[in-house]
């Protein structure tokens, strides 16, 4: 990859934070739209297909005229394919869980991703994790247990789908680390959307049921717009601000998910969900800070 293919870093922190916050808002729109469509009777396979097919059209339409067909060529095709399927698996499990669980709960469980990434990085990337980060991991999983409440009579087995979505997303981030510096962001975005859309095209065709209501048709298309826009905004945000500054912004999604749950679905977050969210957010933030400190010190 030539230097000209890498967007230059500019220190415009306020702009970066704003773009990241907007990207997080679009991520909330993805889950909200998916749950609304599922409750309207649209098959999950069709929603997943449209999520990626529309995103593929947007990313290809944006990058191909600017970077040419070379943007389609990957230096690490196997890792790109595995990464794409990990993202697809996360989306499928998350959307399936949204049929049964409040959006606040699924969002909170997904925030345990950095905790799982820390554990996966040990065998996959050979990273060393100190005792303090391991303690934070244990605390974070305690937060997940608080949210899930497996001891309660109201325990819903669908939470296992949400946990699978979180684990699959964590694998996606691990694979993203493995190809970092070897691939253009544009290539990764096109591959992830393209492989997911191609993989689900046959299933979507077999279960295709275009909704009759114009509003549902618009939402079905917009879910792909939300997806493509969210990832693009998050990528661009890192050009203008350090990751350490942008990392806390993603926790705004917990608040946005709670608001969306109340306004769209009339579902209020439980005190257990809010408590678990606070524990997970604190643990994830500590893990992130420890990783930054370890990289600066050259240790674990």
């Amino acid at each position: 990859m030539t230097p000209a293919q890498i967007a230059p870093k500019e220190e415009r922190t306020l702009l970066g934070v704003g773009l990241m916050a907007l990207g997080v808002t679009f991520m909330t729109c993805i889950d909200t739209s998916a749950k609304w469509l599922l409750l309207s009777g649209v098959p999950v396979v069709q929603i997943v297909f449209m999520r990626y097919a529309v995103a593929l059209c947007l990313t290809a339409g944006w990058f191909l005229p600017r970077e040419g067909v070379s943007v389609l060529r990957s230096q690490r095709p196997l890792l790109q394919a595995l990464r794409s399927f990990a993202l697809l698996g996360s989306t499928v499990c998350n959307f399936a869980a949204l049929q049964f669980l409040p959006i606040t709960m699924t969002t909170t469980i997904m925030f345990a991703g950095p905790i799982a990434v820390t554990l996966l990085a040990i065998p996959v990337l050979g990273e060393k994790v100190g005792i303090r980060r391991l303690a934070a991991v244990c605390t974070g999983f305690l937060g997940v247990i608080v949210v899930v409440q497996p001891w309660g009579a109201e325990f819903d087995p669908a939470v296992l789908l949400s946990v699978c979505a979180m684990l699959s997303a964590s694998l996606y981030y691990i694979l993203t680390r493995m190809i970092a510096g070897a691939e253009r962001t544009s290539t990764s975005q096109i591959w992830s959307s393209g492989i997911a859309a191609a993989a689900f095209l046959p299933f979507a065709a077999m279960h295709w049921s275009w909704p009759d209501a114009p509003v549902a048709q618009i939402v079905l298309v917009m879910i792909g717009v939300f997806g493509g826009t969210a990832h693009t905004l998050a990528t661009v945000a890192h050009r203008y601000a350090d990751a350490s500054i942008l990392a806390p912004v993603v926790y705004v999604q917990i608040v946005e998910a709670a608001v969306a749950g109340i306004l769209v679905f009339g579902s209020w977050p439980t005190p257990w969900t809010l408590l678990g969210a606070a524990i997970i957010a604190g643990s994830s933030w500590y893990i992130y800070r420890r990783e930054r400190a370890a990289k600066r010190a050259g240790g674990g």
Side-chain angles (χ1 to χ4, degrees):
M1 188 187 308
T2 63
Q5 294 172 322
I6 304 176
K9 174 87 174 182
E10 301 178 42
E11 291 301 330
R12 300 175 64 182
T13 302
L14 187 59
L15 176 59
V17 170
L19 291 173
M20 191 67 183
L22 187 57
V24 168
T25 300
F26 279 116
M27 292 176 189
T28 305
C29 290
I30 296 172
D31 288 352
T32 306
S33 300
K35 185 173 181 66
W36 187 86
L37 288 167
L38 288 164
L39 295 177
S40 299
V42 181
V44 65
V45 291
Q46 185 175 334
I47 300 173
V48 173
F49 171 74
M50 290 296 290
R51 153 72 179 88
Y52 287 106
V54 175
L56 174 62
C57 294
L58 290 175
T59 53
W62 176 262
F63 290 117
L64 278 173
R66 289 163 175 78
E67 302 183 28
V69 294
S70 64
V71 74
L72 303 177
R73 290 194 290 268
S74 171
Q75 305 298 319
R76 310 288 294 275
L78 179 59
L79 287 180
Q80 281 284 15
L82 292 174
R83 174 180 175 273
S84 300
F85 279 114
L87 179 61
L88 175 60
S90 177
T91 301
V92 172
C93 291
N94 185 44
F95 285 4
L98 282 168
Q99 295 181 82
F100 310 102
L101 301 177
I103 186 174
T104 311
M105 178 178 286
T106 58
T107 300
T108 301
I109 292 174
M110 289 297 289
F111 273 122
I115 299 166
V117 167
T118 301
L119 292 180
L120 287 172
I122 298 173
V124 178
L125 300 179
E127 292 186 1
K128 295 181 179 180
V129 177
I131 187 65
R132 282 181 286 187
R133 269 193 283 172
L134 285 176
V137 166
C138 295
T139 304
F141 278 119
L142 175 62
V144 174
I145 292 175
V146 169
V147 174
V148 172
Q149 297 183 69
W151 60 82
E154 298 181 357
F155 172 75
D156 194 324
V159 298
L160 299 177
L161 288 170
S162 191
V163 171
C164 287
M166 181 268 292
L167 293 174
S168 189
S170 301
L171 179 59
Y172 163 79
Y173 288 118
I174 287 289
L175 293 168
T176 299
R177 286 189 189 183
M178 294 176 69
I179 64 173
E183 295 278 49
R184 284 178 280 184
T185 300
S186 52
T187 301
S188 296
Q189 289 185 351
I190 290 177
W191 270 66
S192 59
S193 297
I195 288 179
F200 256 66
L201 176 58
F203 303 103
M206 287 188 295
H207 298 85
W208 193 263
S209 176
W210 192 255
D212 295 327
V215 174
Q217 296 173 8
I218 294 172
V219 174
L220 188 57
V221 173
M222 288 303 297
I223 195 170
V225 176
F226 294 147
T229 304
H231 287 283
T232 300
L233 287 172
T235 300
V236 175
H238 284 81
R239 288 173 46 192
Y240 298 112
D242 291 337
S244 59
I245 296 175
L246 297 177
V249 180
V250 300
Y251 295 109
V252 174
Q253 191 175 0
I254 294 179
V255 178
E256 293 178 342
V259 173
I262 295 169
L263 296 181
V264 181
F265 307 108
S267 173
W268 290 77
T270 67
W272 289 108
T273 299
L274 296 177
L275 175 60
I279 295 173
I280 293 170
S283 300
S284 299
W285 176 238
Y286 181 80
I287 288 170
Y288 182 81
R289 297 293 295 181
R290 288 300 304 167
E291 285 181 350
R292 295 272 298 177
K295 287 179 181 178
R296 288 195 298 266

